[in-house]
Amino acid sequence: MRLPAPTVAVLATIAAISTANAVEIDDLKDFAPLFGRYAPAGNCQRQPQVVVDANGMTFEVAGKKDRVVRLEYAASYGGNFYQGISQWFFPFGSDGNYPILMTFNADETAGVLAITPHDEGWQGGPPLGPRNKALVDGSPYRRCK
């Protein structure tokens, strides 16, 4: 199904607005409750994995590690009056293009990490790169047991 150009423009505007309140951070020292190793379904025998610590995030995909220390924290992604425990991050991207969205405590469940397509991987849009596709395909993640 191909979306009409006006619909695509509206969706792009909504996506831009949703990330407009993201702030760039250089570490995760203020996010200690999120620290740990996450794997698909919490099984650390499986890949990909995400390690979160005070200095940032490490993504382990197909034997390769990518370390991210500067990322976007979507502080108001849940809306002005959001009171839940979910927290949203964009680990990759620049210039307003964020290929994936990470939701910690997804569905208001502590220890669950969901990784979903954001600016890539949607119908009619640019495809996810191999690393990001593997991360999305491994979701949902849980803290390792």
Side-chain angles (χ1 to χ4, degrees):
M1 177 177 123
R2 188 173 183 118
L3 296 173
T7 302
V8 172
V10 169
L11 292 173
T13 301
I14 290 169
I17 291 168
S18 69
T19 59
N21 294 321
V23 294
E24 189 173 282
I25 57 176
D26 293 323
D27 60 52
L28 292 169
K29 293 176 183 160
D30 294 328
F31 299 93
L34 305 181
F35 293 177
R37 178 177 292 273
Y38 296 80
N43 180 351
C44 269
Q45 303 302 312
R46 295 179 56 199
Q47 288 280 318
Q49 294 183 14
V50 179
V51 178
V52 180
D53 60 35
N55 296 316
M57 296 181 190
T58 301
F59 298 85
E60 300 174 5
V61 179
K64 185 177 177 189
K65 292 183 181 183
D66 288 314
R67 181 81 174 149
V68 176
V69 294
R70 179 168 288 178
L71 54 148
E72 296 286 323
Y73 170 52
S76 60
Y77 199 81
N80 290 340
F81 302 105
Y82 177 71
Q83 298 290 316
I85 63 171
S86 293
Q87 293 183 296
W88 298 272
F89 294 86
F90 297 102
F92 309 111
S94 62
D95 300 325
N97 177 37
Y98 302 102
I100 62 171
L101 170 66
M102 300 177 73
T103 305
F104 287 88
N105 303 320
D107 298 322
E108 303 302 319
T109 305
V112 173
L113 166 61
I115 300 179
T116 56
H118 188 264
D119 286 336
E120 295 177 359
W122 47 274
Q123 186 175 357
L128 286 163
R131 177 200 56 210
N132 293 336
K133 182 172 181 350
L135 289 167
V136 168
D137 289 348
S139 187
Y141 298 79
R142 288 191 173 274
R143 241 188 234 113
C144 289
K145 302 169 187 172

